[in-house]
């Protein structure tokens, strides 16, 4: 997926929200130099700078610095498409949001979604990437409200976050923000994120249905493959990069993390012209190159970081990968490593 884009389904919802806020959409698209027909293409995508430009122009035309800052608008016009159907059929809110971590690219690969556990519950973090244009604050706020509204919708109850944080400075008048989010707000934070209680995250979803969840998961997977034909191998590499320091990452564990059967994972990797073992070796090689060029790592530490239980395994692998020993590889880049610890 080379271009940074948002789905036509998501953008159509945003544009319908603009219209509900009184913005002349036809004039908006004409000023932006964009074709509205893309909105009606279920496989259509908008470049992220085009989306940011639409937001900038809509805020200017409406004269509303809080454009879209409404729970009702986010509920009515925040459209997740097939991803939303996949999530609502999951067993719990936590399971649904864990699925969203891998499915967000279908909605927009200009947005990222990540979960992290806290003593008081779970944070979900929304990242927003821009291109040449900065990310409008209103785009972030609408995305946050959409996610909170979606969580309320699939649980069948009005969820109140324990806290919401934004990276940008506090607006001169944050009264609307405090009214809409109804929770402690923090501006100038390190991430755009919201904290949901553990009880809410573990709540069973009223529309949970394993069969429907599996059906929609396949549809989402098909869309991911259309957007990025090598997405399975890329996902395995990302998983491996965080697991190599653990003893012996296994294919079945990778399959489980990606919500696939071991056989399905093998089949998809084969279709992408690779295997789990090849990805494991490639990931080890790339990380070894990175770590060996950093002088703070001993060879023992490098071996541990890439998942070898003995430096001799790293030595043999470097001979195979680079045609030279780890020490010679480092010398080529002028790296002077720390003194290796000797076992008495």
């Amino acid at each position: 997926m080379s271009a940074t884009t948002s789905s036509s389904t998501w953008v159509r919802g945003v544009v319908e929200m603009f219209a509900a806020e009184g913005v002349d959409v036809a004039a908006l698209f004409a000023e932006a130099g964009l074709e509205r027909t893309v909105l009606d293409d279920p496989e259509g995508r908008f470049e992220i700078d085009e989306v940011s430009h639409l937001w900038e122009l809509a805020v200017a035309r409406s004269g509303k610095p809080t454009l879209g800052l409404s729970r009702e608008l986010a509920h009515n016009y925040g459209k997740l498409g097939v991803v939303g159907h996949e999530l609502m059929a999951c067993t719990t809110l936590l399971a649904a949001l864990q699925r969203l971590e891998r499915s967000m690219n279908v909605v927009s690969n200009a947005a990222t979604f990540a979960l992290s556990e806290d003593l008081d519950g779970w944070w979900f973090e929304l990242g927003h990437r821009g291109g040449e244009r900065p990310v409008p604050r209103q785009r972030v706020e609408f995305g946050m409200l959409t996610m909170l509204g979606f969580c309320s919708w699939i649980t069948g109850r009005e969820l109140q976050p324990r806290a919401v944080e934004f990276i940008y400075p506090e607006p001169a008048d944050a009264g609307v923000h405090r009214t809409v989010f109804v929770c402690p707000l923090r501006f100038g934070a390190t991430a755009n994120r919201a904290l949901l209680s553990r009880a809410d995250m573990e709540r069973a979803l009223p529309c949970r249905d394993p069969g429907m969840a599996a059906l929609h998961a396949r549809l989402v997977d098909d869309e991911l493959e259309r957007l990025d034909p090598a997405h399975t191998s890329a996902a395995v590499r990302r998983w491996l990069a965080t697991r190599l320091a653990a003893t012996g990452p296994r294919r079945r564990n990778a399959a489980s993390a990606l919500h696939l059967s071991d056989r399905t994972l093998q089949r998809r990797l084969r279709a992408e012209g690779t295997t789990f073992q090849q990805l494991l070796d490639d990931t080890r090689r790339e990380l070894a190159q990175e770590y060996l060029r950093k002088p703070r790592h001993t060879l023992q530490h490098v071996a541990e970081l890439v998942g070898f239980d003995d430096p001799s395994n790293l030595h043999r692998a470097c001979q195979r990968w680079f045609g030279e020993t780890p020490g010679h590889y480092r010398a080529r880049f002028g790296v002077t490593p720390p003194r290796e610890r000797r076992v008495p």
Side-chain angles (χ1 to χ4, degrees):
M1 204 182 317
S2 56
T4 308
T5 60
S6 290
S7 70
S8 59
T9 300
W10 172 258
V11 177
R12 185 171 65 251
V14 170
V15 170
E16 289 172 355
M17 180 273 290
F18 290 162
E21 287 276 67
V23 175
D24 184 336
V25 169
L28 181 72
F29 270 73
E31 185 176 358
L34 298 176
E35 291 291 334
R36 291 176 63 187
T37 54
V38 180
L39 295 171
D40 299 320
D41 179 0
E43 295 186 353
R45 310 285 294 187
F46 284 84
E47 296 281 347
I48 200 55
D49 272 344
E50 295 174 341
V51 179
S52 290
H53 195 197
L54 286 173
W55 272 102
E56 292 167 4
L57 295 175
V59 170
R61 283 177 167 271
S62 69
K64 297 177 180 178
T66 57
L67 182 71
L69 193 58
S70 157
R71 287 192 174 205
E72 182 179 359
L73 290 174
H75 174 76
N76 289 337
Y77 300 110
K79 299 181 184 297
L80 300 183
V82 66
V83 171
H85 294 292
E86 176 195 20
L87 304 187
M88 68 185 296
C90 291
T91 53
T92 65
L93 181 58
L94 176 59
L97 297 187
Q98 287 172 333
R99 291 291 296 182
L100 184 58
E101 286 186 289
R102 65 176 292 280
S103 302
M104 179 58 85
N105 278 359
V106 173
V107 181
S108 174
N109 70 336
T112 59
F113 183 87
L115 288 171
S116 59
E117 194 170 6
D118 185 271
L119 289 175
D120 295 325
W122 289 79
W123 289 96
F124 71 73
E125 178 181 331
L126 285 176
H128 292 78
R129 294 196 292 270
E132 297 297 322
R133 294 178 177 274
V135 177
R137 189 194 77 204
Q138 295 82 3
R139 180 182 144 202
V140 176
E141 294 167 350
F142 186 74
M144 181 66 74
L145 274 180
T146 295
M147 283 310 309
L148 290 172
F150 180 76
C151 289
S152 292
W153 180 56
I154 65 174
T155 56
R157 61 194 304 273
E158 191 67 27
L159 298 187
Q160 294 295 343
R162 291 180 171 237
V164 170
E165 298 181 349
F166 292 108
I167 61 175
Y168 50 77
E170 182 169 352
D173 181 2
V176 177
H177 294 75
R178 301 192 187 284
T179 298
V180 167
F181 287 104
V182 200
C183 70
L185 275 179
R186 181 186 171 205
F187 296 91
T190 58
N192 300 308
R193 62 179 190 165
L195 177 63
L196 296 178
S197 73
R198 193 173 302 278
D200 284 337
M201 291 290 277
E202 294 174 354
R203 193 176 301 277
L205 299 185
C207 294
R208 59 190 181 278
D209 184 324
M212 291 301 294
L215 170 63
H216 288 296
R218 286 196 295 272
L219 295 175
V220 169
D221 284 345
D222 288 345
E223 184 64 8
L224 285 169
E225 288 180 2
R226 183 183 72 83
L227 295 170
D228 184 356
H231 87 276
T232 301
S233 54
V236 170
R237 290 170 78 104
R238 288 193 297 269
W239 181 85
L240 283 168
T242 64
R243 301 300 194 284
L244 281 182
T247 303
R250 299 285 186 264
R251 189 184 61 216
R252 64 177 179 273
N253 300 125
S256 177
L258 297 177
H259 305 282
L260 301 172
S261 69
D262 187 32
R263 179 173 295 182
T264 298
L265 177 60
Q266 290 184 71
R267 176 175 55 78
R268 291 189 180 182
L269 293 180
R270 188 164 55 247
E272 293 173 17
T274 189
T275 65
F276 181 82
Q277 193 60 41
Q278 183 63 54
L279 293 175
L280 175 59
D281 192 60
D282 290 346
T283 305
R284 276 183 168 149
R285 184 189 69 249
E286 291 172 9
L287 290 178
Q289 287 177 301
E290 177 184 343
Y291 295 140
L292 286 170
R293 295 183 192 185
K294 294 180 179 178
R296 68 176 181 271
H297 295 309
T298 65
L299 292 184
Q300 173 72 40
H301 193 206
V302 173
E304 293 170 354
L305 288 171
V306 299
F308 290 131
D309 56 8
D310 191 298
S312 63
N313 294 329
L314 176 65
H315 187 281
R316 287 191 291 271
C318 284
Q319 290 277 20
R320 177 166 51 84
W321 292 331
F322 315 128
E324 57 189 342
T325 66
H328 286 150
Y329 181 88
R330 287 188 135 170
R332 231 174 0 106
F333 291 94
V335 176
T336 303
R339 186 181 299 274
E340 298 286 338
R341 294 191 304 271
R342 294 187 180 276
V343 178

